[in-house]
Amino acid sequence: MDEFSFQMQDIKAKTMFTYNIIVKIELSETSREYFSFNSESIPFGYCMINHFKEESVTIKNFSTDKVVVNINVEGDNDLQSVDNMNINLWPNQKFDIPVYFFPHGISTFNADLVLNFNDGNYIKRIPLSGLGVDFGSPLVTVKNDLYEYYKAQL
């Protein structure tokens, strides 16, 4: 806390007044209330192995200052985004972050999209999940009696 003094003279009363002013300066951290997100999680659901699905997370800056956002994904490599990218987000600006699910096997995959605002003042984690599946070749069977019926119609 800093303290400042100044003097002021009342011309009519010809007296000098001394005022002490105490100034308290607080540096505020980047707050979560200044940002909006279109999704709190991204469940991709089922996706065929060696295919992909794409979603996006939109963030908006409601503060009056520019913020720097670092984007990363932590977790399974089958869930990805623009890793280790910094963006400048100006006041009232929106930004769409693409997120991809590209399963390489039959399994459940989980990760977090990590948004780090202003070097750690605020960190937002958005869970990502998906299930890699392989339905194989379609299997077609014809019942024998149904086959015989249509064969007789020909």
Side-chain angles (χ1 to χ4, degrees):
M1 214 172 331
D2 291 320
E3 190 172 317
F4 301 95
S5 297
F6 71 94
Q7 291 187 339
M8 202 166 121
Q9 182 177 7
D10 184 341
I11 297 174
K12 291 183 182 177
K14 297 185 181 182
T15 52
M16 187 71 73
F17 297 98
T18 300
Y19 296 94
N20 289 328
I21 297 176
I22 298 173
V23 178
K24 182 178 180 182
I25 299 174
E26 292 182 17
L27 299 175
S28 64
E29 295 182 355
T30 305
S31 172
R32 73 187 90 219
E33 62 204 39
Y34 292 118
F35 305 101
S36 71
F37 307 92
N38 69 330
S39 181
E40 290 297 315
S41 68
I42 298 181
F44 282 95
Y46 297 105
C47 183
M48 289 288 291
I49 58 173
N50 300 320
H51 291 76
F52 77 93
K53 284 186 174 181
E54 180 180 358
E55 295 284 341
S56 66
V57 173
T58 303
I59 58 175
K60 184 172 182 180
N61 179 6
F62 287 104
S63 75
T64 56
D65 298 318
K66 174 192 88 164
V67 294
V68 178
V69 183
N70 177 267
I71 303 166
N72 264 311
V73 174
E74 294 177 357
D76 293 326
N77 289 335
D78 295 59
L79 294 154
Q80 299 180 0
S81 184
V82 285
D83 261 2
N84 205 20
M85 176 181 168
N86 287 327
I87 60 165
N88 292 321
L89 199 57
W90 297 93
N92 292 312
Q93 182 184 11
K94 287 195 268 186
F95 186 79
D96 292 325
I97 304 167
V99 184
Y100 305 96
F101 178 40
F102 187 74
H104 291 89
I106 300 170
S107 185
T108 300
F109 299 94
N110 295 290
D112 285 331
L113 178 66
V114 181
L115 308 174
N116 186 335
F117 294 80
N118 289 343
D119 295 327
N121 283 344
Y122 170 53
I123 297 175
K124 173 73 172 177
R125 290 181 167 277
I126 298 176
L128 312 172
S129 63
L131 180 62
V133 295
D134 184 7
F135 295 118
S137 300
L139 180 61
V140 177
T141 59
V142 178
K143 233 179 164 183
N144 195 26
D145 57 343
L146 187 60
Y147 172 75
E148 293 299 326
Y149 171 78
Y150 284 111
K151 186 177 167 187
Q153 301 297 319
L154 298 174

